[in-house]
Amino acid sequence: MVERGIGEDRALLMEGDRVVAARLRQHGELQPGIIVPAKLISKRTGARRGVAYSAEADDLTILVDKLPREVTEGSDLLIEITRAPIAERGRMKHAQGRVHDPAFTYANMVNDIFTTENEVFQFPSGAWEKVWQTAFQGEVAFQAGAILICVTPAMTLIDIDGDLPPRELGLAAIPAIAQAINWFELGGNIGIDFPTLDSKADRRAIDQKLDEWLEDWPHERTAMNGFGFTQMVARLERPSLLHRFDTSRVSMCARFALRMAERAKGTGSILLLTLHPAIKAKLKAEWLDELARRTGRKVRVETEPGLALEAPNAQIVTT
């Protein structure tokens, strides 16, 4: 199911009332599969990799792979994006792409779920809120413990905390790890710090259960080492929900506030949106205009410094 929001689109895959996977696409973002004109600005002789620049795509720098050997610096190219730019603390990870080949179009491999006809005004009650709040906290609870997830420039790290014996704790955490991967669309390098297990049999049990829970997720991984660490690598095409919260937390909260406001119920001609001052600073005029158009009400925004970023309030009033 897809919600067309203000400033973003949201998608959920559900089985019954259970959220299986989620994806967020902010408006104006470059998406995998898009083809952009660019100029090759850097390439070593005979190399298959280089750097391209696209003025038409908002001055985008693209790391290009699988370049034809005959292509030289200064060449004008059509580049197909294979990974969108990803903001990290202190830097921007450049987009990645390859020279467009009509015979092999990366876009044909991209599952663009936002083209679905299954659009809804609102997901089942609480479904998106649960995913969003869990990503905001960076923690997924399970019986007797929780996994804590942290985004770093090198990899996404998952730590396991709980009061079970090490083997039982590691096994109990695996469903939560699988949930986090699908809910937050994790990819790239992922490291999992399991409790240290001295027994090889215990480590094999963890490896086997990981294989069972992640069998439908394309990835490669190492076996658990003697310190309990496992590394996984999967395709990363766009920022994960955790990347977004790590680098643009307030903007994420601003879009969440608009979603809540659009669904406020009541009688009256004014939609009153009360939120933290930092969020108001992120609200674009065109977003508020769209909110007024969608709700058919005048929008009034007030601030309350005591409100948490993730806890805006929207209500319909008469004055």
Side-chain angles (χ1 to χ4, degrees):
M1 293 180 286
V2 170
E3 282 186 357
R4 304 293 182 188
I6 300 173
E8 66 182 17
D9 295 331
R10 302 167 287 269
L12 290 180
L13 173 65
M14 301 192 67
E15 291 181 355
D17 59 356
R18 182 176 69 92
V19 176
V20 177
R23 179 173 293 177
L24 177 70
R25 180 174 70 181
Q26 294 182 351
H27 295 171
E29 286 184 330
L30 195 69
Q31 299 299 317
I34 295 295
I35 299 171
V36 298
K39 183 179 291 292
L40 190 65
I41 60 174
S42 176
K43 177 181 181 277
R44 294 182 181 179
T45 302
R48 301 298 304 275
R49 295 184 178 183
V51 180
Y53 167 80
S54 176
E56 295 187 25
D58 296 326
D59 298 326
L60 181 70
T61 298
I62 311 166
L63 306 180
V64 186
D65 192 17
K66 299 183 179 179
L67 280 167
R69 296 191 183 278
E70 65 273 14
V71 172
T72 59
E73 286 187 18
S75 298
D76 292 321
L77 305 169
L78 288 177
I79 303 296
E80 193 163 12
I81 302 300
T82 58
R83 188 193 71 192
I86 298 177
E88 295 180 335
R89 279 173 285 178
R91 69 166 186 168
M92 175 67 76
K93 186 177 288 186
H94 293 308
Q96 292 180 355
R98 62 183 58 171
V99 176
H100 173 56
D101 180 358
F104 179 82
T105 304
Y106 182 80
N108 293 337
M109 301 172 59
V110 177
N111 180 21
D112 187 1
I113 57 178
F114 291 99
T115 61
T116 179
E117 296 179 357
N118 192 19
E119 293 186 18
V120 297
F121 171 70
Q122 183 171 344
F123 295 133
S125 178
W128 180 256
E129 290 83 350
K130 187 173 183 179
V131 171
W132 193 95
Q133 292 288 350
T134 304
F136 180 89
Q137 295 165 4
E139 178 177 331
V140 180
F142 60 91
Q143 188 173 8
I147 60 169
L148 310 175
I149 313 169
C150 178
V151 174
T152 77
M155 64 172 56
T156 299
L157 292 172
I158 300 176
D159 188 41
I160 299 170
D161 188 27
D163 55 10
L164 292 173
R167 182 181 187 276
E168 286 71 20
L169 181 61
L171 290 171
I174 289 174
I177 293 169
Q179 175 183 318
I181 288 170
N182 288 307
W183 279 22
F184 308 151
E185 200 175 5
L186 299 183
N189 286 307
I190 302 171
I192 309 175
D193 187 19
F194 285 98
T196 301
L197 298 172
D198 296 328
S199 166
K200 289 185 178 180
D202 289 345
R203 296 198 292 270
R204 281 196 299 270
I206 297 290
D207 287 336
Q208 289 171 1
K209 188 167 183 178
L210 267 178
D211 287 340
E212 293 171 5
W213 279 84
L214 301 178
E215 64 177 350
D216 295 329
W217 180 55
H219 71 288
E220 297 179 1
R221 71 171 181 86
T222 64
M224 181 189 294
N225 65 22
F227 300 101
F229 192 78
T230 297
Q231 183 176 356
M232 304 186 294
V233 180
R235 182 185 294 277
L236 180 65
E237 296 179 336
R238 57 182 61 80
S240 70
L241 274 178
L242 297 185
H243 276 100
R244 296 184 189 279
F245 277 112
D246 189 59
T247 58
S248 56
R249 198 171 189 83
V250 179
S251 292
M252 287 287 289
C253 291
R255 291 173 170 86
F256 185 73
L258 292 170
R259 181 182 185 274
M260 175 181 290
E262 186 181 356
R263 289 154 179 79
K265 298 184 183 301
T267 57
S269 60
I270 299 173
L271 172 56
L272 175 60
L273 181 57
T274 307
L275 34 70
H276 190 280
I279 297 181
K280 182 180 180 181
K282 293 292 185 179
L283 294 176
K284 298 180 180 181
E286 58 264 33
W287 290 354
L288 295 175
D289 291 342
E290 177 66 9
L291 179 60
R293 187 192 68 79
R294 291 189 179 201
T295 60
R297 293 182 170 93
K298 179 181 178 181
V299 177
R300 189 167 80 224
V301 179
E302 296 182 357
T303 60
E304 173 52 63
L307 281 178
L309 289 174
E310 72 277 20
N313 180 54
Q315 56 184 316
I316 308 299
V317 298
T318 56
T319 57

